[in-house]
Amino acid sequence: DAGVIQSPRHEVTEMGQEVTLRCKPISGHNSLFWYRQTMMRGLELLIYFNNNVPIDDSGMPEDRFSAKMPNASFSTLKIQPSEPRDSAVYFCASSYYQGFYGYTFGSGTRLTVV
Amino acid sequence: DQQVKQNSPSLSVQEGRISILNCDYTNSMFDYFLWYKKYPAEGPTFLISISSIKDKNEDGRFTVFLNKSAKHLSLHIVPSQPGDSAVYFCAASNAGNMLTFGGGTRLMVKP
């Protein structure tokens, strides 16, 4: 298995633009998580899906953020409009069940909003 | 309210010595604990875990200790190697539910 695949690896965009981050989880995993890593807050959970259904999105900072999982093999995290404070590394992780067996993380997308 | 805390943002040790990374939690319902290691430009990778029915789990140079009464766990790396330099995250789970992560500790092992 190729692991959790995220794209793009790096994204530089101007303030106000729409940004879409993509994630392909490990086949057979039924839970998917979006995290944001910042110096101040460490690994911050944004949203997680179980069997393609959003379960908890309380970590999504504001309405500018949205996430979808149209099928078991693909998820997107969209920021519209983007702001400089959104600059961070965004990780996607997947697991079988909700975490008992640990998560497998992707390599992350480094987002820079200028 | 942070349920899992790593109070030391960074730690520096000499190669060959012991590294001790600490983690505290507040939720007494947590029953499974994990450590993840993260190198720059990579995602966190699983390192070692421990169930609440144990107080110690060892895997090579890595040992995790759990003190349930103090709600504290620690990761010991002996001997430390320069390749161990990374950010270490502790995480906790309740009955197989989602993991809650600490803020991370950056370990620097000096040659």
Side-chain angles (χ1 to χ4, degrees), chain A residues 25-103:
Chain A
I26 289 176
S27 177
H29 281 187
N30 60 354
S31 294
L32 183 139
F33 308 83
W34 282 100
Y35 281 88
R36 178 169 68 176
Q37 184 191 12
T38 61
M39 291 291 291
M40 294 297 296
R41 305 180 73 145
L43 272 176
E44 179 185 16
L45 177 67
L46 301 177
I47 185 171
Y48 83 92
F49 296 84
N50 199 36
N51 294 320
N52 312 337
V53 176
I55 302 300
D56 185 352
D57 64 354
S58 60
M60 297 285 259
E62 44 198 278
D63 292 345
R64 298 184 297 107
F65 286 69
S66 63
K68 294 182 180 179
M69 191 165 186
N71 56 62
S73 59
F74 184 65
S75 177
T76 59
L77 177 68
K78 185 178 294 185
I79 308 173
Q80 165 64 17
S82 57
E83 297 182 2
R85 62 193 168 119
D86 302 330
S87 298
V89 181
Y90 291 79
F91 289 103
C92 174
S94 70
S95 73
Y96 177 69
Y97 195 37
Q98 285 173 286
F100 186 77
Y101 300 104
Y103 299 174

Side-chain angles (χ1 to χ4, degrees), chain A residues 9 33 35 37 39 41-43 45 48 56 91 97-103 105-107, chain B residues 2 32 34 36 38 41-44 46 87 89 93 95-99 101-103 106:
Chain A
R9 289 297 308 270
F33 308 83
Y35 281 88
Q37 184 191 12
M39 291 291 291
R41 305 180 73 145
L43 272 176
L45 177 67
Y48 83 92
D56 185 352
F91 289 103
Y97 195 37
Q98 285 173 286
F100 186 77
Y101 300 104
Y103 299 174
F105 282 83
S107 297
Chain B
Q2 278 191 299
Y32 194 64
L34 307 88
Y36 280 77
K38 184 189 175 306
E42 295 182 11
F46 170 76
V87 177
F89 291 96
S93 169
N97 290 316
M98 50 175 276
L99 297 180
F101 285 87
R106 182 178 301 277

